[in-house]
Amino acid sequence: MNTWTGGAPPVLRGPVGRRAVLRGGLAAALGLASAGVLSGCGSGSPGAAKVEDTQKGTAGAVIRPIAERYGLFGDLDLEHVAGTGPGDVQNKLLSGALDVASMGPIGAVVAAEARAEVSLFSTSLNNHVHWLVPENSPYRTVRDLRGKPIATPPNNSDAYRSAQLAAAVNDIDFDADYDVHQGAVLAGLALFDRGDVEAIVTIEPNATLLVGRGARELVSVQQLWSEGTGDGGRLLLNGQGAADEWLDANPAQAAGIARLRLAAHQVIAENPAVLAELHEYYGIPATERRAVELLPQRLADVYPTVWDESVFAGLRDQIDVAVRTGLIKSAPPAEPFRVVGRA
């Protein structure tokens, strides 16, 4: 079993009380003030870790503003690099344009098959992919949509791969059974808004934006996974990924990034209303009142607060099912996830 060797433990146990926050600030309450490796100027020095920046239209858009608001960066030296959402950040990680970016377990295995050794070393997001149809749509299940045009994220994204996986465990061939229109998140929204597709498979906060406008949710990928596997546990969409070479060379930076991410998620767990307060970072304007109101309710559990063996068991399950259903050839010899400091 992997063990934590990077200083303060990454698993934040128990609630962070309001009095503790008021006394010493959230960073101190989470044990980060003395860690000495959390800061983040945004531009970064020549040795800064290149990480993905806040991107409107993605669930991770609130992480940087939360870290800035609550002083979670400390001394961590980061350079925030802009991306364009699902698929793009994975490409930037594999190309070296990013040192750290969101990466799902299936994506990490696919990278390993291409001889790009990548490991997940910290939490990122629970699955937040949803199937939506117009309010007046006649379709009631994903099976009803077989043969119909649907908008999806790019096929190299964690969102697309998780949709494939959840379909496969329900005896549905995602690529063959649907008329798939892949593209950037905004392109999918445009197709849906124009009525060019019968459904959209999309991520948060865009799903909440559409629900706020009256779209009807058929099902989430999380629900499909649970129905097909009998596993009621939370499905992790992705973790923070980095090349093994970078992780081995930069253990302190990696440990700081891992703690930062968990601390930001703990803020959300303590105060889900912060998600509504930061709606503009999601790309949801104040005029979308219903969507803003729904953000805490729909997104609070997207941000996990643990990175430990219980999470790894779920990642193994995803890889095992992907092998069994033919989405990947085989499991890699070495598991593509770790606690910082251990291979």
Side-chain angles (χ1 to χ4, degrees):
M1 181 185 299
N2 290 316
T3 56
W4 173 253
T5 60
V11 180
L12 305 177
R13 304 188 184 281
V16 180
R18 180 173 177 273
R19 291 181 180 176
V21 174
L22 294 176
R23 282 200 306 268
L26 189 67
L30 293 173
L32 299 176
S34 62
V37 291
L38 296 178
S39 114
C41 51
S43 58
S45 70
K50 299 188 292 291
V51 301
E52 58 185 298
D53 200 3
T54 289
Q55 300 171 50
K56 289 185 177 180
T58 66
V62 295
I63 300 304
R64 184 178 179 184
I66 284 175
E68 291 172 345
R69 176 184 288 194
Y70 291 94
L72 302 181
F73 283 119
D75 299 322
L76 190 61
D77 192 10
L78 302 179
E79 177 184 351
H80 290 92
V81 178
T84 58
D88 177 67
V89 292
Q90 286 82 9
N91 286 338
K92 281 185 166 62
L93 177 64
L94 296 176
S95 72
L98 284 169
D99 294 319
V100 177
S102 301
M103 176 68 76
I106 309 306
V109 173
V110 171
E113 291 176 346
R115 300 191 176 184
E117 302 298 331
V118 173
S119 291
L120 314 184
F121 69 95
S122 176
T123 196
S124 186
L125 301 169
N126 283 329
N127 198 282
H128 53 94
V129 182
H130 302 264
W131 290 68
L132 301 164
V133 294
E135 186 177 18
N136 61 354
S137 170
Y139 306 113
R140 298 293 166 180
T141 72
V142 295
R143 290 174 177 82
D144 296 338
L145 286 162
R146 281 175 162 165
K148 306 300 181 185
I150 63 171
T152 75
N155 65 1
N156 66 327
S157 67
D158 299 325
Y160 191 95
R161 288 174 171 139
S162 74
Q164 285 180 303
L165 194 64
V169 296
N170 286 279
D171 299 319
I172 297 171
D173 186 327
F174 188 81
D175 299 295
D177 288 353
Y178 302 104
D179 177 13
V180 174
H181 294 251
Q182 301 174 37
V185 170
L186 290 178
L189 292 175
L191 289 173
F192 187 76
D193 285 342
R194 291 199 306 260
D196 294 340
V197 293
E198 297 288 353
I200 185 171
V201 178
T202 193
I203 58 172
E204 294 289 8
N206 305 293
T208 293
L209 178 62
L210 293 175
V211 169
R213 292 175 176 175
R216 176 162 49 84
E217 182 166 330
L218 286 185
V219 72
S220 66
V221 162
Q222 170 70 55
Q223 289 169 313
L224 285 175
W225 170 263
S226 297
E227 290 170 9
T229 63
D231 180 359
R234 205 66 174 85
L235 183 66
L236 193 78
L237 179 65
N238 48 35
Q240 291 293 291
D244 288 346
E245 183 178 4
W246 186 88
L247 286 170
D248 294 339
N250 299 277
Q253 282 181 308
I257 291 169
R259 287 193 290 267
L260 169 62
R261 190 73 188 211
L262 286 166
H265 289 195
Q266 188 69 25
V267 170
I268 297 168
E270 284 285 306
N271 179 27
V274 73
L275 302 182
E277 295 170 15
L278 297 173
H279 62 89
E280 293 282 0
Y281 288 92
Y282 282 130
I284 298 179
T287 52
E288 299 281 356
R289 293 182 181 178
R290 181 56 180 157
V292 172
E293 291 172 357
L294 287 171
L295 286 171
Q297 172 187 327
R298 288 177 56 91
L299 270 71
D301 69 348
V302 167
Y303 307 92
T305 57
V306 294
W307 181 253
D308 62 8
E309 184 60 30
S310 67
V311 178
F312 300 159
L315 297 177
R316 292 186 192 104
D317 287 343
Q318 289 192 52
I319 292 171
D320 289 345
V321 171
V323 172
R324 192 168 70 247
T325 56
L327 294 180
I328 54 176
K329 295 177 182 177
S330 62
E335 293 182 331
F337 40 85
R338 63 166 88 175
V339 172
V340 178
R342 289 285 298 273

